[in-house]
Amino acid sequence: MRKAQPTRRGGGDPATRGRTTIADGVVEKIAGLAARDVVGVHALGSGLSRTFGAVRDRVPGGSKSVTRGVKAEVGEVQTALDLEIVVDYGVSISDVARDVRENVIAAVERMAGLEVVEVNIAVSDVKLPEEEDEESEPRIQ
């Protein structure tokens, strides 16, 4: 009596059966959260985009945009990122930029599995200790 051969369905490793695409916005969220975790980063985005964002955040049903100040170009296996940050006064900008790059690259490569080919950082402002934060709630209601 012949032993029945198990029926083999499909071909090859299941991991190779189909494509996974990752939207730019997904990578932008990962990078934005990773950049905000770095000590010395006060905010992401230019002053104007933060002002508009603060107004948008106060609208009922609105939510804070974690992608503000982050732009990603995502390919099939690689991504490139541009970040615009505001640093706290007194920090070493070169150290903060290095830490942001390291944190963003590690987070995107770990979560999205994409090779990060570059992280360009533009420092658009320095937050002085005596400056009020545009994103804080108004004191008079």
Side-chain angles (χ1 to χ4, degrees):
M1 181 171 238
R2 275 180 42 173
K3 195 172 185 185
Q5 292 290 337
T7 305
R8 189 175 170 130
R9 298 183 186 198
D13 180 19
T16 62
R17 297 183 204 171
R19 274 180 30 168
T20 301
T21 58
I22 300 172
D24 292 0
V26 171
V27 173
E28 289 167 356
K29 281 185 179 181
I30 295 168
L33 291 169
R36 282 176 175 79
D37 282 346
V38 174
V39 174
V41 173
H42 178 75
L44 269 69
S46 66
L48 186 60
S49 73
R50 289 192 336 268
T51 300
F52 284 132
V55 170
R56 190 174 46 248
D57 295 343
R58 289 190 184 108
V59 173
S63 61
K64 289 192 182 279
S65 175
V66 296
T67 62
R68 187 181 315 141
V70 182
K71 178 69 181 129
E73 291 180 29
V74 180
E76 287 187 30
V77 295
Q78 295 179 324
T79 186
L81 294 145
D82 294 321
L83 283 79
E84 187 173 4
I85 66 172
V86 176
V87 298
D88 292 320
Y89 177 78
V91 300
S92 165
I93 293 173
S94 60
D95 288 350
V96 170
R98 182 198 63 233
D99 293 348
V100 167
R101 271 192 193 89
E102 288 176 357
N103 217 31
V104 166
I105 289 168
V108 170
E109 288 186 346
R110 179 178 47 81
M111 291 184 69
L114 296 167
E115 177 191 2
V116 179
V117 293
E118 66 181 5
V119 177
N120 299 309
I121 298 172
V123 178
S124 62
D125 202 358
V126 173
K127 169 70 170 72
L128 301 176
E130 66 273 6
E131 287 179 336
E132 279 195 39
D133 199 350
E134 305 98 12
E135 295 183 30
S136 64
E137 291 294 319
R139 290 186 287 187
I140 301 173
Q141 301 251 339

